[in-house]
Amino acid sequence: MTFGRVNPQFQLEDQGISGLGNVYYNLMEPALMEVAIKRAEGTLGKGGAFLVTTGKFTGRSPKDKHVVKTDSVADTIWWDNNAAMSPEGFDALYVDMLEHMKGRDYFVQDLIGGADPAHSINVRMVTELAWHGLFIRHMLRRPDRSELDEFTSDFTVINCPSFQADPAKHDCRSETVIAMNFDRKLILIGGTEYAGENKKSVFTLLNYLLPAKGIMPMHCSANHAPGNPVDTAVFFGLSGTGKTTLSADPERVLIGDDEHGWSDRGTFNFEGGCYAKTISLSPEAEPEIYATTEKFGTIIENMVFDPETFDLDFEDDSLTANMRCAYPLNYISNASETALGGHPKNIIMLTCDAFGVLPPIARLTPAQAMYHFLSGFTAKVAGTERGVTEPQPTFSTCFGAPFMPRRPEVYGNLLREKIAQHGATCWLVNTGWTGGAYGEGNRMPIKATRALLTAALDGTLADTSFRKDDNFGFDVPESVPGVPEMLLNPRRTWDDKAAYDTQAAKLVQMFADNFEQYLPYIDDDVKAAAIG
């Protein structure tokens, strides 16, 4: 039996999926909430938020992500970073998953990836959990109800958490599997309830498809000046660097917080919502994001809450430090209605340097921008993972290696070409430590970071004097209104200058060691940037 809005010529049976129980097509938020509550998938929270836990998987499973190795993609996939699956393994996986699905209820959402209709793709999401349907309805873009009558999907994603893969039979690593088949235009997810796999599978898909069209897919947030989309800024950054927080500037228009494309028409959001980390979220520092946690339909994922009052505990990370909330973009008051922007005028690369070496902001040449983009540096700090007792470098190329199906230099060259074509100014911003490494120094003041970003975006920094950094060779401003001059020179913030020099040399060597893998693929000027 089917429920909801569906093109009668394009039901699951037309895709060869039969024998299911009830199939719910394109239910809207209230109906998805109602069904999810009846099925005891979660708890109704304050303001109509939906509180869920995701079991043993509270984050993505990148090692369980596979690309089917067919002739059409064999020479274009970055196999060092993407585990291969045989076509035979995928075919067996698909047959067994469909057999497992028989008699069970499923939820179908017909959605769009990409705000620019010239470059968007239609995605059919088939989910076992009603709240996954609600999640992906937030995260992707929703066609008008009238458009559903003619909707035809380009790719289909089937997410079945109760299904467990057989590594020997299905050519995968474990019982958890995310398998992408570009030839069959099909993605299969099994063995994990973590909702982020839904959106990241679509992001990975776009990361493969768009470069062939000359479009740069970016793991970044983006905003623009009020009434002036030409003044667009993008913010690259790994988890914990401030990508969502810093782009949600109330003085600018939010295009999106996580995934964007850069085409010959400008910047466009891939998504229709936000998936924000909530650990230590406060109404003072991030009032709008905090407010979404008590709005109707917001999904609160893996957060501890009071069973009587349903108050959320933003400091209790006993379930995971990766606690999150998912909500539609229009829950943020300054969000763009179109999710479109101009060509980036400023490109911000965010890093959380727990070694206390990098300055709070630096201006990059195009070659240096490619170097730091390919490096994708941030740092883990003590206590974030078992066994981490001192800062550890994390190099995630393109600021999102797990989602990059093509080789890194494909994206690096695209970025460099677009910078050259449109004249974007690139900045490296350190939101990590100063005055010492983690445990000894202090976190970079958010007030100073915001002042530096404001000066970069409004052009103030263009009129200041710069010094050349002794370690990395980029330009560092010598003075910025509202920012202590000492902060701009990290060596001066350390009491023990010799200790700073030792730490800086250590970090430079870490960068160099990591970058050796890219040397055969890059131009001489980028190689020169690598050594300062």
Side-chain angles (χ1 to χ4, degrees):
M1 184 178 295
T2 62
F3 301 85
R5 185 70 172 270
V6 62
N7 176 352
Q9 302 302 314
F10 192 54
Q11 298 189 24
L12 288 182
E13 287 80 2
D14 298 290
Q15 296 180 264
I17 303 173
S18 60
L20 305 184
N22 295 320
V23 180
Y24 300 84
Y25 288 89
N26 295 308
L27 296 185
M28 298 181 72
E29 291 80 356
L32 287 167
M33 290 273 289
E34 182 180 15
V35 176
I37 291 168
K38 285 181 178 178
R39 288 161 50 105
E41 293 180 1
T43 302
L44 188 65
K46 295 179 72 171
F50 193 63
L51 316 179
V52 298
T53 56
T54 61
K56 68 176 182 178
F57 291 98
T58 57
R60 292 178 295 99
S61 302
K63 292 182 180 180
D64 293 308
K65 190 172 182 178
H66 301 263
V67 176
V68 180
K69 193 169 187 177
T70 60
D71 291 343
S72 67
V73 302
D75 296 332
T76 51
I77 295 293
W78 180 23
W79 295 113
D80 291 341
N81 188 60
N82 294 269
M85 175 182 282
S86 66
E88 295 77 16
F90 183 89
D91 291 345
L93 174 67
Y94 185 52
V95 169
D96 289 347
M97 184 176 283
L98 293 190
E99 183 63 28
H100 174 85
M101 293 167 63
K102 287 184 176 179
R104 300 170 186 262
D105 294 352
Y106 279 82
F107 302 85
V108 177
Q109 288 287 320
D110 293 326
L111 299 164
I112 299 170
D116 186 341
H119 306 300
S120 63
I121 61 170
N122 289 348
V123 180
R124 166 160 281 192
M125 303 291 304
V126 182
T127 62
E128 182 179 24
L129 296 172
W131 79 264
H132 274 195
L134 178 64
F135 171 89
I136 202 62
R137 187 169 171 79
H138 288 338
M139 298 314 303
L140 292 185
R141 303 190 64 80
R142 298 159 293 281
D144 291 338
R145 302 299 282 178
S146 60
E147 295 175 340
L148 292 174
D149 293 336
E150 304 298 330
F151 186 95
T152 301
S153 66
D154 298 309
F155 279 80
T156 297
V157 181
I158 301 176
N159 190 331
C160 186
S162 66
F163 176 82
Q164 294 189 327
D166 180 343
K169 185 177 182 181
H170 302 137
D171 194 24
C172 55
R173 190 187 74 98
S174 74
E175 295 176 341
T176 299
V177 64
I178 302 98
M180 309 187 69
N181 191 321
F182 288 98
D183 283 10
R184 296 187 62 173
K185 301 185 182 302
L186 190 60
I187 300 172
L188 305 179
I189 303 172
T192 173
E193 293 185 27
Y194 182 65
E197 298 289 10
N198 292 292
K199 82 175 210 118
K200 290 304 184 185
S201 67
V202 178
F203 183 35
T204 304
L205 177 62
L206 288 165
N207 280 350
Y208 182 77
L209 298 174
L210 293 180
K213 300 171 65 176
I215 298 169
M216 174 67 185
M218 304 179 290
H219 183 216
C220 72
S221 56
N223 63 27
H224 69 72
N228 185 14
V230 173
D231 186 1
T232 291
V234 299
F235 301 75
F236 290 100
L238 297 165
S239 181
T241 57
K243 178 162 55 73
T244 297
T245 299
L246 294 172
S247 62
D249 183 341
E251 301 302 317
R252 292 175 66 86
V253 176
L254 179 66
I255 301 172
D257 84 322
D258 198 36
E259 299 163 3
H260 295 79
W262 184 358
S263 74
D264 57 358
R265 294 151 60 100
T267 309
F268 62 99
N269 192 355
F270 289 167
E271 301 183 291
C274 299
Y275 192 34
K277 295 188 75 169
T278 55
I279 188 167
S280 300
L281 188 66
S282 73
E284 294 77 25
E286 299 172 275
E288 293 224 58
I289 297 175
Y290 186 90
T292 69
T293 63
E294 293 186 6
K295 291 191 175 184
F296 180 80
T298 292
I299 293 171
I300 306 296
E301 193 177 73
N302 295 317
M303 287 191 69
V304 174
F305 59 91
D306 188 298
E308 185 174 353
T309 65
F310 298 100
D311 288 335
L312 301 172
D313 190 331
F314 293 88
E315 303 302 326
D316 189 338
D317 63 356
S318 57
L319 292 177
T320 178
N322 191 38
M323 58 182 78
R324 291 181 179 264
C325 62
Y327 51 89
L329 197 61
N330 61 11
Y331 279 7
I332 301 298
S333 63
N334 64 324
S336 166
E337 292 184 5
T338 65
L340 301 173
H343 297 290
K345 182 178 178 181
N346 287 280
I347 295 172
I348 316 296
M349 297 183 186
L350 300 168
T351 181
C352 178
D353 173 23
F355 297 90
V357 170
L358 294 175
I361 195 167
R363 186 176 61 191
L364 307 177
T365 66
Q368 289 169 340
M370 186 171 178
Y371 173 70
H372 285 277
F373 180 71
L374 290 177
S375 297
F377 167 72
T378 192
K380 297 176 184 176
V381 297
T384 57
E385 290 184 10
R386 186 184 307 172
V388 177
T389 57
E390 63 179 20
Q392 292 186 358
T394 298
F395 293 95
S396 185
T397 189
C398 309
F399 295 97
F403 325 121
M404 301 298 161
R406 296 179 183 267
R407 279 204 55 86
E409 58 272 10
V410 172
Y411 306 102
N413 284 326
L414 266 173
L415 180 66
R416 188 176 180 185
E417 290 166 8
K418 299 233 176 248
I419 290 172
Q421 183 179 359
H422 301 288
T425 302
C426 299
W427 307 91
L428 182 70
V429 172
N430 174 24
T431 61
W433 271 257
T434 189
Y438 172 84
E440 297 180 2
N442 299 303
R443 192 74 188 257
M444 198 71 69
I446 185 66
K447 183 178 180 180
T449 300
R450 290 192 183 280
L452 289 166
L453 280 174
T454 297
L457 298 183
D458 69 12
T460 300
L461 284 189
D463 298 325
T464 193
S465 58
F466 289 80
R467 66 173 179 86
K468 192 165 291 292
D469 182 78
D470 293 333
N471 300 302
F472 287 93
F474 41 49
D475 292 336
V476 180
E478 294 184 304
S479 65
V480 178
V483 179
E485 286 191 18
M486 177 179 287
L487 199 65
L488 295 170
N489 188 333
R491 190 175 188 273
R492 291 179 61 192
T493 67
W494 283 54
D495 293 332
D496 187 339
K497 304 299 190 285
Y500 171 84
D501 293 338
T502 299
Q503 188 83 317
K506 180 180 177 182
L507 183 60
V508 168
Q509 190 60 49
M510 290 176 183
F511 266 84
D513 291 344
N514 170 75
F515 205 76
E516 282 187 2
Q517 62 187 303
Y518 306 121
L519 293 178
Y521 306 101
I522 59 173
D523 295 337
D524 288 342
D525 58 344
V526 181
K527 290 179 183 178
I531 60 175

PDB file of all heavy atoms in Angstrom, residues 199-223:
ATOM      1  N   LYS A 199      23.323  12.212   3.789  1.00  0.00           N
ATOM      2  CA  LYS A 199      23.705  13.443   3.092  1.00  0.00           C
ATOM      3  C   LYS A 199      25.104  13.353   2.502  1.00  0.00           C
ATOM      4  O   LYS A 199      25.367  13.854   1.417  1.00  0.00           O
ATOM      5  CB  LYS A 199      23.554  14.652   4.008  1.00  0.00           C
ATOM      6  CG  LYS A 199      24.689  14.919   4.952  1.00  0.00           C
ATOM      7  CD  LYS A 199      24.458  16.226   5.706  1.00  0.00           C
ATOM      8  CE  LYS A 199      25.772  16.894   6.059  1.00  0.00           C
ATOM      9  NZ  LYS A 199      25.942  18.198   5.464  1.00  0.00           N
ATOM     10  N   LYS A 200      26.021  12.681   3.209  1.00  0.00           N
ATOM     11  CA  LYS A 200      27.386  12.593   2.699  1.00  0.00           C
ATOM     12  C   LYS A 200      27.468  11.694   1.475  1.00  0.00           C
ATOM     13  O   LYS A 200      28.368  11.867   0.638  1.00  0.00           O
ATOM     14  CB  LYS A 200      28.331  12.104   3.796  1.00  0.00           C
ATOM     15  CG  LYS A 200      28.555  13.129   4.901  1.00  0.00           C
ATOM     16  CD  LYS A 200      29.059  14.469   4.361  1.00  0.00           C
ATOM     17  CE  LYS A 200      29.378  15.454   5.475  1.00  0.00           C
ATOM     18  NZ  LYS A 200      29.755  16.791   4.951  1.00  0.00           N
ATOM     19  N   SER A 201      26.559  10.749   1.336  1.00  0.00           N
ATOM     20  CA  SER A 201      26.565   9.941   0.116  1.00  0.00           C
ATOM     21  C   SER A 201      26.215  10.802  -1.097  1.00  0.00           C
ATOM     22  O   SER A 201      26.792  10.647  -2.177  1.00  0.00           O
ATOM     23  CB  SER A 201      25.592   8.766   0.244  1.00  0.00           C
ATOM     24  OG  SER A 201      24.249   9.198   0.298  1.00  0.00           O
ATOM     25  N   VAL A 202      25.289  11.744  -0.922  1.00  0.00           N
ATOM     26  CA  VAL A 202      24.920  12.640  -2.022  1.00  0.00           C
ATOM     27  C   VAL A 202      26.050  13.634  -2.293  1.00  0.00           C
ATOM     28  O   VAL A 202      26.347  13.961  -3.452  1.00  0.00           O
ATOM     29  CB  VAL A 202      23.600  13.364  -1.713  1.00  0.00           C
ATOM     30  CG1 VAL A 202      23.240  14.343  -2.834  1.00  0.00           C
ATOM     31  CG2 VAL A 202      22.469  12.356  -1.517  1.00  0.00           C
ATOM     32  N   PHE A 203      26.698  14.101  -1.234  1.00  0.00           N
ATOM     33  CA  PHE A 203      27.828  15.014  -1.393  1.00  0.00           C
ATOM     34  C   PHE A 203      28.950  14.326  -2.185  1.00  0.00           C
ATOM     35  O   PHE A 203      29.529  14.901  -3.122  1.00  0.00           O
ATOM     36  CB  PHE A 203      28.334  15.442  -0.013  1.00  0.00           C
ATOM     37  CG  PHE A 203      29.464  16.440  -0.033  1.00  0.00           C
ATOM     38  CD1 PHE A 203      29.545  17.423  -1.010  1.00  0.00           C
ATOM     39  CD2 PHE A 203      30.440  16.419   0.945  1.00  0.00           C
ATOM     40  CE1 PHE A 203      30.576  18.349  -1.014  1.00  0.00           C
ATOM     41  CE2 PHE A 203      31.480  17.332   0.950  1.00  0.00           C
ATOM     42  CZ  PHE A 203      31.551  18.294  -0.034  1.00  0.00           C
ATOM     43  N   THR A 204      29.255  13.080  -1.841  1.00  0.00           N
ATOM     44  CA  THR A 204      30.279  12.324  -2.556  1.00  0.00           C
ATOM     45  C   THR A 204      29.898  12.151  -4.022  1.00  0.00           C
ATOM     46  O   THR A 204      30.740  12.260  -4.924  1.00  0.00           O
ATOM     47  CB  THR A 204      30.485  10.956  -1.893  1.00  0.00           C
ATOM     48  OG1 THR A 204      30.808  11.140  -0.514  1.00  0.00           O
ATOM     49  CG2 THR A 204      31.602  10.178  -2.568  1.00  0.00           C
ATOM     50  N   LEU A 205      28.640  11.901  -4.253  1.00  0.00           N
ATOM     51  CA  LEU A 205      28.130  11.755  -5.620  1.00  0.00           C
ATOM     52  C   LEU A 205      28.383  13.028  -6.427  1.00  0.00           C
ATOM     53  O   LEU A 205      28.919  12.995  -7.540  1.00  0.00           O
ATOM     54  CB  LEU A 205      26.638  11.434  -5.556  1.00  0.00           C
ATOM     55  CG  LEU A 205      25.864  11.296  -6.854  1.00  0.00           C
ATOM     56  CD1 LEU A 205      26.414  10.160  -7.679  1.00  0.00           C
ATOM     57  CD2 LEU A 205      24.382  11.050  -6.541  1.00  0.00           C
ATOM     58  N   LEU A 206      28.023  14.167  -5.870  1.00  0.00           N
ATOM     59  CA  LEU A 206      28.241  15.441  -6.558  1.00  0.00           C
ATOM     60  C   LEU A 206      29.732  15.740  -6.710  1.00  0.00           C
ATOM     61  O   LEU A 206      30.158  16.331  -7.706  1.00  0.00           O
ATOM     62  CB  LEU A 206      27.540  16.566  -5.798  1.00  0.00           C
ATOM     63  CG  LEU A 206      26.010  16.552  -5.894  1.00  0.00           C
ATOM     64  CD1 LEU A 206      25.388  17.464  -4.843  1.00  0.00           C
ATOM     65  CD2 LEU A 206      25.552  16.965  -7.284  1.00  0.00           C
ATOM     66  N   ASN A 207      30.521  15.326  -5.737  1.00  0.00           N
ATOM     67  CA  ASN A 207      31.966  15.534  -5.824  1.00  0.00           C
ATOM     68  C   ASN A 207      32.578  14.784  -6.996  1.00  0.00           C
ATOM     69  O   ASN A 207      33.648  15.163  -7.496  1.00  0.00           O
ATOM     70  CB  ASN A 207      32.647  15.076  -4.528  1.00  0.00           C
ATOM     71  CG  ASN A 207      32.543  16.107  -3.434  1.00  0.00           C
ATOM     72  OD1 ASN A 207      32.135  17.232  -3.663  1.00  0.00           O
ATOM     73  ND2 ASN A 207      32.892  15.716  -2.223  1.00  0.00           N
ATOM     74  N   TYR A 208      31.927  13.718  -7.416  1.00  0.00           N
ATOM     75  CA  TYR A 208      32.425  12.985  -8.578  1.00  0.00           C
ATOM     76  C   TYR A 208      31.875  13.576  -9.881  1.00  0.00           C
ATOM     77  O   TYR A 208      32.606  13.740 -10.859  1.00  0.00           O
ATOM     78  CB  TYR A 208      32.040  11.508  -8.499  1.00  0.00           C
ATOM     79  CG  TYR A 208      32.579  10.714  -9.668  1.00  0.00           C
ATOM     80  CD1 TYR A 208      33.923  10.352  -9.709  1.00  0.00           C
ATOM     81  CD2 TYR A 208      31.772  10.382 -10.748  1.00  0.00           C
ATOM     82  CE1 TYR A 208      34.446   9.660 -10.800  1.00  0.00           C
ATOM     83  CE2 TYR A 208      32.286   9.688 -11.844  1.00  0.00           C
ATOM     84  CZ  TYR A 208      33.617   9.323 -11.861  1.00  0.00           C
ATOM     85  OH  TYR A 208      34.133   8.657 -12.941  1.00  0.00           O
ATOM     86  N   LEU A 209      30.601  13.902  -9.899  1.00  0.00           N
ATOM     87  CA  LEU A 209      29.954  14.312 -11.138  1.00  0.00           C
ATOM     88  C   LEU A 209      30.341  15.724 -11.582  1.00  0.00           C
ATOM     89  O   LEU A 209      30.543  15.980 -12.776  1.00  0.00           O
ATOM     90  CB  LEU A 209      28.433  14.235 -10.979  1.00  0.00           C
ATOM     91  CG  LEU A 209      27.833  12.850 -10.697  1.00  0.00           C
ATOM     92  CD1 LEU A 209      26.341  12.973 -10.424  1.00  0.00           C
ATOM     93  CD2 LEU A 209      28.091  11.912 -11.859  1.00  0.00           C
ATOM     94  N   LEU A 210      30.442  16.655 -10.649  1.00  0.00           N
ATOM     95  CA  LEU A 210      30.569  18.063 -11.022  1.00  0.00           C
ATOM     96  C   LEU A 210      31.906  18.451 -11.641  1.00  0.00           C
ATOM     97  O   LEU A 210      31.938  19.278 -12.567  1.00  0.00           O
ATOM     98  CB  LEU A 210      30.258  18.953  -9.816  1.00  0.00           C
ATOM     99  CG  LEU A 210      28.796  18.912  -9.334  1.00  0.00           C
ATOM    100  CD1 LEU A 210      28.605  19.828  -8.141  1.00  0.00           C
ATOM    101  CD2 LEU A 210      27.835  19.287 -10.460  1.00  0.00           C
ATOM    102  N   PRO A 211      33.055  17.927 -11.184  1.00  0.00           N
ATOM    103  CA  PRO A 211      34.313  18.340 -11.814  1.00  0.00           C
ATOM    104  C   PRO A 211      34.356  18.082 -13.311  1.00  0.00           C
ATOM    105  O   PRO A 211      35.016  18.834 -14.048  1.00  0.00           O
ATOM    106  CB  PRO A 211      35.364  17.503 -11.070  1.00  0.00           C
ATOM    107  CG  PRO A 211      34.770  17.287  -9.719  1.00  0.00           C
ATOM    108  CD  PRO A 211      33.304  17.090  -9.980  1.00  0.00           C
ATOM    109  N   ALA A 212      33.668  17.060 -13.773  1.00  0.00           N
ATOM    110  CA  ALA A 212      33.640  16.776 -15.214  1.00  0.00           C
ATOM    111  C   ALA A 212      32.950  17.900 -15.990  1.00  0.00           C
ATOM    112  O   ALA A 212      33.136  18.032 -17.199  1.00  0.00           O
ATOM    113  CB  ALA A 212      32.943  15.447 -15.472  1.00  0.00           C
ATOM    114  N   LYS A 213      32.155  18.725 -15.279  1.00  0.00           N
ATOM    115  CA  LYS A 213      31.471  19.857 -15.893  1.00  0.00           C
ATOM    116  C   LYS A 213      32.203  21.170 -15.613  1.00  0.00           C
ATOM    117  O   LYS A 213      31.681  22.248 -15.901  1.00  0.00           O
ATOM    118  CB  LYS A 213      30.037  19.946 -15.356  1.00  0.00           C
ATOM    119  CG  LYS A 213      29.188  18.707 -15.628  1.00  0.00           C
ATOM    120  CD  LYS A 213      27.853  18.765 -14.896  1.00  0.00           C
ATOM    121  CE  LYS A 213      26.969  19.885 -15.380  1.00  0.00           C
ATOM    122  NZ  LYS A 213      25.634  19.870 -14.715  1.00  0.00           N
ATOM    123  N   GLY A 214      33.404  21.074 -15.033  1.00  0.00           N
ATOM    124  CA  GLY A 214      34.158  22.282 -14.711  1.00  0.00           C
ATOM    125  C   GLY A 214      33.664  22.992 -13.474  1.00  0.00           C
ATOM    126  O   GLY A 214      33.970  24.172 -13.272  1.00  0.00           O
ATOM    127  N   ILE A 215      32.920  22.290 -12.629  1.00  0.00           N
ATOM    128  CA  ILE A 215      32.358  22.883 -11.414  1.00  0.00           C
ATOM    129  C   ILE A 215      33.141  22.377 -10.208  1.00  0.00           C
ATOM    130  O   ILE A 215      33.416  21.183 -10.080  1.00  0.00           O
ATOM    131  CB  ILE A 215      30.869  22.519 -11.261  1.00  0.00           C
ATOM    132  CG1 ILE A 215      30.080  23.074 -12.443  1.00  0.00           C
ATOM    133  CG2 ILE A 215      30.304  23.045  -9.947  1.00  0.00           C
ATOM    134  CD1 ILE A 215      28.669  22.552 -12.533  1.00  0.00           C
ATOM    135  N   MET A 216      33.507  23.284  -9.330  1.00  0.00           N
ATOM    136  CA  MET A 216      34.283  22.962  -8.140  1.00  0.00           C
ATOM    137  C   MET A 216      33.345  22.623  -6.985  1.00  0.00           C
ATOM    138  O   MET A 216      32.635  23.492  -6.481  1.00  0.00           O
ATOM    139  CB  MET A 216      35.150  24.173  -7.767  1.00  0.00           C
ATOM    140  CG  MET A 216      35.901  24.033  -6.457  1.00  0.00           C
ATOM    141  SD  MET A 216      37.155  22.760  -6.548  1.00  0.00           S
ATOM    142  CE  MET A 216      37.719  22.734  -4.859  1.00  0.00           C
ATOM    143  N   PRO A 217      33.274  21.354  -6.553  1.00  0.00           N
ATOM    144  CA  PRO A 217      32.485  21.024  -5.366  1.00  0.00           C
ATOM    145  C   PRO A 217      33.314  21.316  -4.112  1.00  0.00           C
ATOM    146  O   PRO A 217      34.513  21.038  -4.074  1.00  0.00           O
ATOM    147  CB  PRO A 217      32.217  19.519  -5.520  1.00  0.00           C
ATOM    148  CG  PRO A 217      33.373  19.013  -6.319  1.00  0.00           C
ATOM    149  CD  PRO A 217      33.875  20.162  -7.168  1.00  0.00           C
ATOM    150  N   MET A 218      32.695  21.876  -3.091  1.00  0.00           N
ATOM    151  CA  MET A 218      33.457  22.359  -1.939  1.00  0.00           C
ATOM    152  C   MET A 218      32.813  21.937  -0.623  1.00  0.00           C
ATOM    153  O   MET A 218      31.603  22.108  -0.434  1.00  0.00           O
ATOM    154  CB  MET A 218      33.545  23.889  -1.985  1.00  0.00           C
ATOM    155  CG  MET A 218      34.136  24.450  -3.268  1.00  0.00           C
ATOM    156  SD  MET A 218      34.204  26.269  -3.315  1.00  0.00           S
ATOM    157  CE  MET A 218      32.441  26.679  -3.452  1.00  0.00           C
ATOM    158  N   HIS A 219      33.635  21.404   0.268  1.00  0.00           N
ATOM    159  CA  HIS A 219      33.198  21.145   1.644  1.00  0.00           C
ATOM    160  C   HIS A 219      33.422  22.440   2.420  1.00  0.00           C
ATOM    161  O   HIS A 219      34.456  22.651   3.048  1.00  0.00           O
ATOM    162  CB  HIS A 219      33.997  19.993   2.252  1.00  0.00           C
ATOM    163  CG  HIS A 219      33.556  19.615   3.621  1.00  0.00           C
ATOM    164  ND1 HIS A 219      34.424  19.210   4.603  1.00  0.00           N
ATOM    165  CD2 HIS A 219      32.319  19.568   4.185  1.00  0.00           C
ATOM    166  CE1 HIS A 219      33.765  18.932   5.704  1.00  0.00           C
ATOM    167  NE2 HIS A 219      32.488  19.156   5.472  1.00  0.00           N
ATOM    168  N   CYS A 220      32.451  23.324   2.347  1.00  0.00           N
ATOM    169  CA  CYS A 220      32.621  24.666   2.902  1.00  0.00           C
ATOM    170  C   CYS A 220      31.262  25.256   3.254  1.00  0.00           C
ATOM    171  O   CYS A 220      30.224  24.796   2.793  1.00  0.00           O
ATOM    172  CB  CYS A 220      33.320  25.575   1.898  1.00  0.00           C
ATOM    173  SG  CYS A 220      32.270  26.032   0.490  1.00  0.00           S
ATOM    174  N   SER A 221      31.296  26.275   4.102  1.00  0.00           N
ATOM    175  CA  SER A 221      30.123  27.117   4.307  1.00  0.00           C
ATOM    176  C   SER A 221      30.287  28.363   3.446  1.00  0.00           C
ATOM    177  O   SER A 221      31.365  28.626   2.901  1.00  0.00           O
ATOM    178  CB  SER A 221      29.974  27.491   5.789  1.00  0.00           C
ATOM    179  OG  SER A 221      31.152  28.121   6.257  1.00  0.00           O
ATOM    180  N   ALA A 222      29.214  29.148   3.306  1.00  0.00           N
ATOM    181  CA  ALA A 222      29.289  30.327   2.435  1.00  0.00           C
ATOM    182  C   ALA A 222      28.289  31.382   2.886  1.00  0.00           C
ATOM    183  O   ALA A 222      27.201  31.053   3.381  1.00  0.00           O
ATOM    184  CB  ALA A 222      29.014  29.935   0.977  1.00  0.00           C
ATOM    185  N   ASN A 223      28.656  32.648   2.719  1.00  0.00           N
ATOM    186  CA  ASN A 223      27.724  33.749   2.964  1.00  0.00           C
ATOM    187  C   ASN A 223      28.041  34.898   2.014  1.00  0.00           C
ATOM    188  O   ASN A 223      29.042  34.876   1.297  1.00  0.00           O
ATOM    189  CB  ASN A 223      27.747  34.196   4.438  1.00  0.00           C
ATOM    190  CG  ASN A 223      29.087  34.747   4.896  1.00  0.00           C
ATOM    191  OD1 ASN A 223      29.872  35.272   4.125  1.00  0.00           O
ATOM    192  ND2 ASN A 223      29.367  34.634   6.196  1.00  0.00           N
TER     193      ASN A 223
END
